[in-house]
Amino acid sequence: MFCSCGRRVQLFKFLKQSLGDCCKIIATDNQKTAPALYAADKRYIVPRIDSEGYIETVLDIAITNEVKAITTLIDPEIEILANNREIFMDNGIIPLCPSKETAAYCFDKYKMFEYLVQKGIRTVLTYDTVEYFKEGLDKGNIRFPVFIKPRTGSGSVGIHKVEDMRELEAYFSEGKYDYIIQEFMDCRDCDADVYVDCFSHKPVAIFSKNKLETKIGGASKTISFKDEKLFAFIGEICEVLEFCGPVDMDFWYRDGQYYLSEVNPRFGGAYLHAFGAGVDFFQLIKNNMEGKINKSIIGQYNEDVLMMMYDGVIILNKKDLIE
């Protein structure tokens, strides 16, 4: 079951390509014009995720359809599912989301930074206030330009490269977002699609790719690569954060070391590349739904496989929209 399915039509098509009729896709959204609804086997319109009774509505749909695993395709809902893990598990449904604690770290970028530093995981230097940033600037720990982004944002919304203090203070004084300030990483940008087994909680599949082109919301052109150093680093990350199912991790590579940038514990938009290169998370999910622990397939794909994303459409009559 996919909550808040939005535009993820191709993801559903690849799932059907992988599992065929042995798996039914149940999709929900709060808009009847969400394209991915019409690529699912069953579709439901639900209230907004912040509505009273939302989780009860989702649970009822899941139980009615004998759902074995549930996930979401938007970041703000991850913590909602994580906070209700036990409810789903009590009904025989695997929540493909992190633990409650990990979900909170993933949603709040500054809390994640503090936690990663505490655990010795390399990450991007981050400040949560202008005053704190000025201290770092005076000490020579950071310099302009810097990047600012919403502390709890997603999809590249509200991200800006900032050149000087005047510009930085102007963004903060607007009050549009609760910003964090990060060092500008002028180096290689890459990411990894990771599948963490729902029982062992260890990474069993990793597909890494360099970003060739990025548009709003994520990478649109990527090329695959392998690096045992990155695979090992992801293993370290999964030791201190508890994931379950698909995870999208962003990294910077500088001076021979990888730095964790962000973690989205869900199917990333560019997971399509991984599937196209033969790294099939759907089979891993199916195994977990059947109570099986997955064996590692880390590194079982080819390098230099390209993905070039393009737009597609769903065409149907108005009368066929879900009510």
Coordinates of all heavy atoms in Angstrom, one line a residue, residues 206-286:
I206 N 22.3 -2.0 -2.2 CA 22.8 -0.6 -2.4 C 23.0 -0.3 -3.9 O 23.7 -1.1 -4.6 CB 24.1 -0.3 -1.6 CG1 23.9 -0.5 -0.1 CG2 24.6 1.1 -1.9 CD1 25.2 -0.4 0.7
F207 N 22.4 0.8 -4.4 CA 22.7 1.2 -5.8 C 23.2 2.6 -5.7 O 22.4 3.5 -5.3 CB 21.4 1.1 -6.6 CG 21.6 1.5 -8.0 CD1 22.2 0.7 -9.0 CD2 21.2 2.8 -8.5 CE1 22.4 1.1 -10.3 CE2 21.4 3.2 -9.8 CZ 22.0 2.3 -10.7
S208 N 24.4 2.9 -6.1 CA 25.0 4.2 -6.0 C 25.1 4.8 -7.4 O 25.4 4.1 -8.3 CB 26.3 4.2 -5.2 OG 27.2 3.2 -5.8
K209 N 24.9 6.2 -7.4 CA 24.9 6.9 -8.7 C 25.4 8.3 -8.5 O 25.1 8.9 -7.5 CB 23.6 6.8 -9.3 CG 22.4 7.3 -8.4 CD 21.1 6.9 -9.0 CE 19.9 7.4 -8.2 NZ 19.8 6.8 -6.8
N210 N 26.2 8.8 -9.5 CA 26.6 10.2 -9.5 C 25.5 11.0 -10.2 O 24.9 10.5 -11.2 CB 27.9 10.3 -10.3 CG 29.1 9.8 -9.5 OD1 29.2 10.1 -8.3 ND2 30.0 9.1 -10.2
K211 N 25.3 12.2 -9.7 CA 24.2 13.0 -10.3 C 24.9 13.9 -11.4 O 25.8 14.6 -11.2 CB 23.7 14.0 -9.2 CG 23.0 13.2 -8.1 CD 22.5 14.2 -7.0 CE 21.9 13.5 -5.8 NZ 21.4 14.4 -4.8
L212 N 24.3 13.7 -12.6 CA 24.7 14.5 -13.8 C 23.9 15.7 -14.0 O 24.4 16.7 -14.5 CB 24.7 13.6 -15.0 CG 25.4 12.3 -15.0 CD1 25.2 11.5 -16.3 CD2 26.9 12.6 -14.7
E213 N 22.6 15.7 -13.6 CA 21.7 16.8 -13.7 C 20.7 16.8 -12.6 O 20.2 15.7 -12.3 CB 21.0 16.8 -15.0 CG 20.1 18.0 -15.2 CD 19.4 17.9 -16.6 OE1 19.9 18.5 -17.6 OE2 18.3 17.3 -16.7
T214 N 20.4 17.9 -11.9 CA 19.5 17.9 -10.8 C 18.5 19.0 -11.1 O 18.8 20.2 -11.4 CB 20.1 18.2 -9.5 OG1 21.1 17.1 -9.2 CG2 19.1 18.2 -8.4
K215 N 17.2 18.7 -11.0 CA 16.1 19.6 -11.1 C 15.4 19.7 -9.8 O 15.7 18.9 -8.8 CB 15.2 19.3 -12.3 CG 15.8 19.4 -13.6 CD 14.9 19.1 -14.8 CE 15.6 19.3 -16.1 NZ 14.7 19.0 -17.2
I216 N 14.3 20.6 -9.7 CA 13.6 20.7 -8.4 C 13.0 19.3 -8.0 O 12.4 18.7 -8.8 CB 12.5 21.7 -8.6 CG1 13.0 23.1 -8.8 CG2 11.5 21.7 -7.4 CD1 12.0 24.2 -9.1
G217 N 13.4 18.9 -6.8 CA 12.8 17.6 -6.3 C 13.8 16.5 -6.4 O 13.6 15.4 -5.8
G218 N 14.9 16.6 -7.2 CA 15.9 15.5 -7.2 C 16.6 15.4 -8.5 O 16.5 16.3 -9.4
A219 N 17.4 14.3 -8.6 CA 18.3 14.1 -9.8 C 17.4 13.7 -11.0 O 16.5 12.8 -10.8 CB 19.3 13.1 -9.4
S220 N 17.7 14.2 -12.1 CA 17.0 13.8 -13.4 C 17.9 13.1 -14.3 O 17.4 12.4 -15.2 CB 16.5 15.1 -14.0 OG 17.5 16.0 -14.3
K221 N 19.2 13.2 -14.2 CA 20.2 12.4 -15.0 C 21.3 11.9 -14.0 O 21.9 12.6 -13.3 CB 20.8 13.2 -16.1 CG 19.8 13.7 -17.2 CD 20.5 14.5 -18.2 CE 19.4 15.0 -19.2 NZ 20.0 15.8 -20.3
T222 N 21.5 10.6 -14.1 CA 22.5 9.9 -13.2 C 23.2 8.8 -13.9 O 22.7 8.3 -14.9 CB 21.8 9.4 -11.9 OG1 20.7 8.5 -12.3 CG2 21.2 10.5 -11.0
I223 N 24.4 8.5 -13.3 CA 25.1 7.3 -13.9 C 25.7 6.5 -12.7 O 26.2 7.0 -11.7 CB 26.3 7.9 -14.8 CG1 27.0 6.7 -15.4 CG2 27.3 8.8 -14.0 CD1 28.0 7.1 -16.6
S224 N 25.5 5.2 -12.8 CA 25.9 4.3 -11.7 C 27.4 4.1 -11.6 O 28.2 4.2 -12.5 CB 25.2 2.9 -12.0 OG 25.7 2.3 -13.2
F225 N 27.8 3.9 -10.3 CA 29.2 3.6 -10.0 C 29.2 2.7 -8.8 O 28.1 2.5 -8.1 CB 30.0 4.8 -9.7 CG 29.7 5.5 -8.4 CD1 30.5 5.3 -7.3 CD2 28.6 6.4 -8.3 CE1 30.2 5.9 -6.1 CE2 28.3 7.0 -7.0 CZ 29.1 6.7 -5.9
K226 N 30.3 2.1 -8.5 CA 30.5 1.2 -7.3 C 31.7 1.7 -6.5 O 32.7 2.1 -7.1 CB 30.7 -0.2 -7.6 CG 29.6 -0.9 -8.4 CD 29.9 -2.4 -8.7 CE 28.9 -3.0 -9.6 NZ 29.3 -4.4 -9.9
D227 N 31.6 1.7 -5.2 CA 32.7 2.0 -4.3 C 32.5 1.3 -3.0 O 31.6 1.6 -2.3 CB 32.8 3.6 -4.1 CG 34.1 4.0 -3.4 OD1 34.7 3.1 -2.8 OD2 34.4 5.2 -3.5
E228 N 33.4 0.4 -2.7 CA 33.3 -0.3 -1.4 C 33.4 0.6 -0.2 O 32.8 0.3 0.8 CB 34.4 -1.4 -1.4 CG 34.3 -2.5 -2.4 CD 33.0 -3.4 -2.1 OE1 32.5 -3.4 -1.0 OE2 32.5 -4.0 -3.1
K229 N 34.1 1.7 -0.4 CA 34.2 2.7 0.7 C 32.8 3.3 1.0 O 32.5 3.4 2.2 CB 35.2 3.8 0.3 CG 35.4 4.8 1.5 CD 36.3 5.9 1.0 CE 37.8 5.4 0.9 NZ 38.7 6.6 0.6
L230 N 32.1 3.5 0.0 CA 30.7 4.1 0.2 C 29.8 3.0 0.8 O 29.0 3.3 1.7 CB 30.1 4.6 -1.1 CG 28.7 5.1 -1.0 CD1 28.5 6.2 0.0 CD2 28.2 5.5 -2.4
F231 N 29.9 1.8 0.3 CA 29.1 0.7 0.8 C 29.4 0.5 2.3 O 28.4 0.3 3.1 CB 29.4 -0.6 0.1 CG 29.0 -0.6 -1.4 CD1 29.5 -1.6 -2.2 CD2 28.2 0.3 -1.9 CE1 29.2 -1.6 -3.6 CE2 27.8 0.3 -3.3 CZ 28.4 -0.7 -4.1
A232 N 30.6 0.6 2.7 CA 31.0 0.4 4.1 C 30.4 1.6 5.0 O 30.0 1.4 6.1 CB 32.5 0.3 4.3
F233 N 30.5 2.8 4.4 CA 30.0 4.0 5.1 C 28.5 3.9 5.3 O 28.0 4.2 6.4 CB 30.3 5.2 4.3 CG 30.0 6.5 5.0 CD1 30.3 6.7 6.3 CD2 29.5 7.6 4.3 CE1 30.0 7.9 7.0 CE2 29.2 8.8 4.9 CZ 29.4 9.0 6.3
I234 N 27.8 3.4 4.3 CA 26.3 3.2 4.5 C 26.1 2.2 5.6 O 25.1 2.3 6.3 CB 25.7 2.7 3.1 CG1 25.7 3.9 2.1 CG2 24.3 2.2 3.3 CD1 25.4 3.6 0.7
G235 N 26.9 1.1 5.6 CA 26.8 0.2 6.7 C 26.9 0.8 8.1 O 26.2 0.5 9.0
E236 N 27.9 1.8 8.2 CA 28.0 2.5 9.5 C 26.8 3.3 9.8 O 26.4 3.4 11.0 CB 29.3 3.4 9.4 CG 30.6 2.7 9.3 CD 31.7 3.7 9.0 OE1 31.6 4.9 9.5 OE2 32.7 3.3 8.4
I237 N 26.2 4.0 8.8 CA 25.0 4.8 9.0 C 23.9 3.9 9.5 O 23.2 4.3 10.4 CB 24.7 5.5 7.7 CG1 25.8 6.5 7.3 CG2 23.3 6.2 7.8 CD1 25.7 7.0 5.9
C238 N 23.7 2.8 8.9 CA 22.6 1.9 9.3 C 22.8 1.2 10.7 O 21.9 0.6 11.2 CB 22.4 0.8 8.2 SG 21.8 1.5 6.7
E239 N 24.0 1.4 11.2 CA 24.3 0.9 12.6 C 23.7 1.9 13.6 O 23.4 1.5 14.7 CB 25.8 0.7 12.8 CG 26.4 -0.5 12.1 CD 25.9 -1.8 12.7 OE1 25.6 -1.9 13.9 OE2 25.8 -2.8 11.9
V240 N 23.6 3.2 13.3 CA 23.2 4.2 14.2 C 21.8 4.7 14.0 O 21.3 5.5 14.8 CB 24.2 5.4 14.3 CG1 25.6 4.9 14.6 CG2 24.3 6.1 13.0
L241 N 21.2 4.4 12.8 CA 19.9 4.7 12.5 C 19.1 3.5 12.1 O 19.6 2.6 11.4 CB 19.8 5.7 11.3 CG 20.5 7.1 11.6 CD1 20.7 7.8 10.3 CD2 19.6 7.9 12.5
E242 N 17.9 3.3 12.6 CA 17.1 2.1 12.4 C 16.1 2.3 11.3 O 15.1 2.9 11.4 CB 16.4 1.7 13.7 CG 15.7 0.3 13.5 CD 15.0 -0.1 14.8 OE1 15.5 0.3 15.9 OE2 14.1 -0.9 14.7
F243 N 16.4 1.7 10.1 CA 15.6 1.8 8.9 C 14.8 0.5 8.7 O 15.2 -0.6 9.2 CB 16.4 2.1 7.7 CG 17.1 3.5 7.8 CD1 18.5 3.6 7.8 CD2 16.4 4.7 7.8 CE1 19.1 4.8 7.9 CE2 17.0 5.9 7.9 CZ 18.4 5.9 7.9
C244 N 13.8 0.6 7.8 CA 13.1 -0.6 7.5 C 12.5 -0.4 6.1 O 11.6 0.4 5.9 CB 11.9 -0.8 8.5 SG 10.9 -2.2 8.2
G245 N 13.1 -1.1 5.1 CA 12.7 -0.9 3.7 C 13.5 0.0 2.9 O 14.7 0.2 3.2
P246 N 13.0 0.7 1.9 CA 13.7 1.5 1.0 C 14.2 2.9 1.6 O 13.4 3.5 2.4 CB 12.8 1.8 -0.2 CG 11.4 1.6 0.4 CD 11.6 0.6 1.5
V247 N 15.4 3.3 1.4 CA 15.9 4.5 1.9 C 16.7 5.2 0.8 O 17.5 4.6 0.0 CB 16.9 4.3 3.1 CG1 17.4 5.6 3.7 CG2 16.2 3.4 4.1
D248 N 16.6 6.5 0.7 CA 17.3 7.3 -0.3 C 18.3 8.2 0.5 O 17.9 9.0 1.3 CB 16.3 8.2 -1.1 CG 17.0 9.2 -2.0 OD1 18.0 8.8 -2.6 OD2 16.5 10.3 -2.2
M249 N 19.6 8.0 0.2 CA 20.7 8.7 0.9 C 21.4 9.6 -0.1 O 21.8 9.1 -1.1 CB 21.6 7.7 1.6 CG 21.0 6.9 2.7 SD 22.3 5.9 3.5 CE 21.3 4.9 4.6
D250 N 21.7 10.8 0.3 CA 22.5 11.8 -0.5 C 23.8 12.0 0.2 O 23.9 12.1 1.4 CB 21.7 13.1 -0.6 CG 20.5 13.0 -1.5 OD1 20.4 12.1 -2.3 OD2 19.6 13.9 -1.3
F251 N 24.8 12.0 -0.7 CA 26.2 12.2 -0.2 C 27.0 13.2 -1.0 O 26.7 13.5 -2.2 CB 27.0 10.8 -0.4 CG 26.4 9.7 0.4 CD1 25.5 8.8 -0.1 CD2 26.8 9.5 1.7 CE1 25.0 7.8 0.6 CE2 26.3 8.4 2.5 CZ 25.4 7.6 1.9
W252 N 28.0 13.8 -0.3 CA 29.1 14.5 -1.0 C 30.4 13.8 -0.9 O 30.6 13.0 0.1 CB 29.2 15.9 -0.3 CG 28.0 16.8 -0.4 CD1 27.1 17.1 0.6 CD2 27.6 17.6 -1.5 NE1 26.2 17.9 0.2 CE2 26.4 18.3 -1.1 CE3 28.1 17.7 -2.8 CZ2 25.7 19.1 -2.0 CZ3 27.4 18.6 -3.7 CH2 26.3 19.3 -3.3
Y253 N 31.2 13.9 -1.9 CA 32.5 13.2 -1.9 C 33.6 14.2 -2.0 O 33.7 14.9 -3.0 CB 32.6 12.2 -3.1 CG 33.9 11.4 -3.1 CD1 34.1 10.4 -2.1 CD2 34.9 11.6 -4.0 CE1 35.2 9.6 -2.1 CE2 36.0 10.9 -4.0 CZ 36.2 9.9 -3.1 OH 37.4 9.1 -3.1
R254 N 34.4 14.4 -0.9 CA 35.4 15.4 -0.9 C 36.7 14.9 -0.2 O 36.6 14.2 0.8 CB 34.9 16.6 -0.1 CG 35.9 17.8 -0.1 CD 35.2 19.0 0.7 NE 35.1 18.7 2.1 CZ 34.5 19.6 3.0 NH1 34.0 20.7 2.5 NH2 34.5 19.2 4.2
D255 N 37.8 15.1 -0.9 CA 39.1 14.7 -0.4 C 39.2 13.3 0.0 O 39.7 12.9 1.1 CB 39.5 15.6 0.8 CG 39.6 17.1 0.5 OD1 39.9 17.4 -0.7 OD2 39.3 17.9 1.3
G256 N 38.6 12.4 -0.8 CA 38.6 11.0 -0.6 C 37.7 10.4 0.5 O 37.8 9.2 0.8
Q257 N 36.8 11.3 1.0 CA 35.8 10.8 2.0 C 34.4 11.2 1.6 O 34.1 12.2 0.9 CB 36.1 11.5 3.3 CG 37.5 11.2 3.9 CD 37.5 9.8 4.5 OE1 36.5 9.0 4.5 NE2 38.7 9.4 5.0
Y258 N 33.5 10.3 2.0 CA 32.0 10.6 1.7 C 31.5 11.3 3.0 O 31.8 10.9 4.1 CB 31.3 9.3 1.5 CG 31.6 8.7 0.1 CD1 32.5 7.6 0.0 CD2 30.9 9.1 -1.0 CE1 32.8 7.1 -1.3 CE2 31.2 8.6 -2.3 CZ 32.1 7.6 -2.4 OH 32.4 7.1 -3.6
Y259 N 30.6 12.2 2.7 CA 29.9 12.9 3.8 C 28.4 12.8 3.5 O 27.9 13.0 2.4 CB 30.2 14.4 3.8 CG 31.6 14.7 4.1 CD1 32.7 14.5 3.2 CD2 32.0 15.1 5.4 CE1 34.0 14.8 3.5 CE2 33.3 15.4 5.8 CZ 34.3 15.2 4.8 OH 35.6 15.5 5.2
L260 N 27.6 12.3 4.6 CA 26.2 12.2 4.4 C 25.5 13.5 4.4 O 25.8 14.4 5.3 CB 25.6 11.4 5.6 CG 24.1 11.1 5.6 CD1 23.7 10.3 4.4 CD2 23.7 10.3 6.9
S261 N 24.7 13.8 3.4 CA 24.0 15.1 3.3 C 22.6 15.0 3.8 O 22.3 15.7 4.7 CB 24.0 15.5 1.8 OG 23.2 16.6 1.6
E262 N 21.8 14.1 3.3 CA 20.4 13.9 3.7 C 20.0 12.5 3.6 O 20.6 11.7 2.9 CB 19.5 14.8 2.9 CG 19.6 16.3 3.1 CD 18.4 17.0 2.5 OE1 17.3 16.4 2.3 OE2 18.6 18.2 2.3
V263 N 19.0 12.1 4.4 CA 18.4 10.8 4.3 C 16.9 10.9 4.2 O 16.2 11.6 4.9 CB 18.7 10.0 5.6 CG1 18.0 8.6 5.5 CG2 20.2 9.9 5.8
N264 N 16.3 10.3 3.2 CA 14.9 10.2 3.0 C 14.5 8.8 3.1 O 14.7 8.0 2.1 CB 14.4 10.8 1.6 CG 14.8 12.3 1.5 OD1 14.5 13.1 2.2 ND2 15.7 12.6 0.5
P265 N 13.9 8.3 4.2 CA 13.6 6.9 4.4 C 12.3 6.5 3.7 O 11.3 6.1 4.3 CB 13.5 6.8 5.9 CG 13.1 8.1 6.4 CD 13.6 9.1 5.4
R266 N 12.4 6.5 2.3 CA 11.3 6.1 1.4 C 11.9 5.8 0.1 O 13.1 6.0 -0.1 CB 10.3 7.2 1.4 CG 10.9 8.6 0.9 CD 9.9 9.6 0.5 NE 10.5 10.9 0.3 CZ 11.2 11.3 -0.8 NH1 11.4 10.4 -1.7 NH2 11.7 12.5 -0.9
F267 N 11.1 5.4 -0.9 CA 11.5 5.3 -2.3 C 11.9 6.7 -2.8 O 11.1 7.6 -2.8 CB 10.4 4.8 -3.2 CG 10.3 3.3 -3.2 CD1 9.3 2.6 -2.5 CD2 11.2 2.5 -3.9 CE1 9.2 1.2 -2.5 CE2 11.1 1.1 -4.0 CZ 10.1 0.5 -3.2
G268 N 13.2 6.9 -3.2 CA 13.6 8.1 -3.8 C 13.1 8.2 -5.2 O 12.7 7.2 -5.8
G269 N 13.0 9.5 -5.7 CA 12.4 9.7 -7.0 C 13.3 9.0 -8.1 O 12.8 8.6 -9.2
A270 N 14.6 8.9 -7.9 CA 15.5 8.3 -8.8 C 15.7 6.8 -8.6 O 16.6 6.2 -9.2 CB 16.8 9.0 -8.9
Y271 N 14.9 6.1 -7.7 CA 15.0 4.7 -7.6 C 14.8 4.0 -8.9 O 15.2 2.9 -9.1 CB 14.0 4.1 -6.5 CG 13.9 2.6 -6.6 CD1 15.0 1.8 -6.2 CD2 12.8 2.0 -7.2 CE1 15.0 0.5 -6.4 CE2 12.8 0.6 -7.4 CZ 13.9 -0.1 -7.0 OH 13.9 -1.5 -7.2
L272 N 14.0 4.6 -9.8 CA 13.8 4.1 -11.1 C 15.1 3.6 -11.8 O 15.1 2.6 -12.5 CB 13.1 5.1 -12.0 CG 11.8 5.7 -11.4 CD1 11.2 6.8 -12.3 CD2 10.7 4.6 -11.2
H273 N 16.1 4.4 -11.6 CA 17.4 4.0 -12.1 C 17.9 2.7 -11.6 O 18.4 1.8 -12.3 CB 18.5 5.1 -11.8 CG 19.8 5.0 -12.5 ND1 20.8 5.9 -12.3 CD2 20.3 4.1 -13.3 CE1 21.8 5.5 -13.1 NE2 21.5 4.4 -13.7
A274 N 17.8 2.5 -10.3 CA 18.2 1.3 -9.6 C 17.5 0.1 -10.2 O 18.1 -0.9 -10.6 CB 18.0 1.4 -8.1
F275 N 16.2 0.2 -10.3 CA 15.4 -0.9 -10.9 C 15.8 -1.2 -12.3 O 16.0 -2.3 -12.7 CB 13.9 -0.6 -10.8 CG 13.0 -1.7 -11.3 CD1 12.7 -2.8 -10.5 CD2 12.6 -1.7 -12.6 CE1 11.9 -3.8 -10.9 CE2 11.9 -2.8 -13.1 CZ 11.5 -3.8 -12.3
G276 N 16.0 -0.1 -13.1 CA 16.3 -0.3 -14.5 C 17.7 -1.0 -14.6 O 18.0 -1.6 -15.7
A277 N 18.5 -0.8 -13.6 CA 19.9 -1.5 -13.7 C 19.9 -2.8 -13.0 O 20.9 -3.4 -12.8 CB 20.9 -0.5 -13.0
G278 N 18.7 -3.3 -12.6 CA 18.6 -4.7 -12.1 C 18.6 -4.8 -10.5 O 18.6 -5.9 -10.0
V279 N 18.5 -3.7 -9.8 CA 18.4 -3.8 -8.3 C 17.0 -3.6 -7.9 O 16.4 -2.6 -7.8 CB 19.3 -2.7 -7.7 CG1 19.3 -2.8 -6.2 CG2 20.7 -2.7 -8.2
D280 N 16.3 -4.8 -7.7 CA 14.9 -4.9 -7.5 C 14.5 -4.9 -6.1 O 14.5 -5.9 -5.4 CB 14.4 -6.2 -8.2 CG 12.9 -6.3 -8.3 OD1 12.2 -5.5 -7.6 OD2 12.4 -7.1 -9.1
F281 N 14.1 -3.7 -5.5 CA 13.6 -3.7 -4.2 C 12.2 -4.3 -4.0 O 11.9 -4.8 -2.9 CB 13.4 -2.2 -3.7 CG 14.7 -1.5 -3.5 CD1 16.0 -2.1 -3.8 CD2 14.7 -0.2 -2.9 CE1 17.2 -1.4 -3.5 CE2 15.9 0.5 -2.6 CZ 17.1 -0.1 -2.9
F282 N 11.5 -4.4 -5.0 CA 10.1 -5.0 -4.9 C 10.2 -6.5 -4.5 O 9.4 -7.0 -3.7 CB 9.3 -4.9 -6.2 CG 9.3 -3.4 -6.7 CD1 9.8 -3.1 -7.9 CD2 8.7 -2.4 -5.9 CE1 9.7 -1.8 -8.3 CE2 8.7 -1.1 -6.3 CZ 9.2 -0.8 -7.5
Q283 N 11.2 -7.2 -5.1 CA 11.4 -8.6 -4.7 C 11.8 -8.7 -3.2 O 11.4 -9.6 -2.5 CB 12.4 -9.3 -5.6 CG 12.0 -9.5 -7.0 CD 10.9 -10.6 -7.2 OE1 10.8 -11.4 -6.3 NE2 10.2 -10.6 -8.3
L284 N 12.6 -7.8 -2.8 CA 13.1 -7.8 -1.4 C 11.9 -7.5 -0.4 O 11.8 -8.1 0.6 CB 14.1 -6.7 -1.2 CG 15.4 -6.9 -2.1 CD1 16.4 -5.7 -1.8 CD2 16.1 -8.2 -1.9
I285 N 11.0 -6.6 -0.9 CA 9.8 -6.3 -0.1 C 8.9 -7.6 0.0 O 8.4 -7.9 1.1 CB 9.0 -5.1 -0.6 CG1 9.8 -3.8 -0.5 CG2 7.6 -5.0 0.0 CD1 9.2 -2.6 -1.2
K286 N 8.8 -8.2 -1.1 CA 7.9 -9.4 -1.2 C 8.5 -10.5 -0.2 O 7.7 -11.1 0.5 CB 7.9 -10.0 -2.6 CG 7.1 -11.2 -2.8 CD 7.0 -11.6 -4.3 CE 6.2 -12.9 -4.5 NZ 7.0 -14.1 -4.1

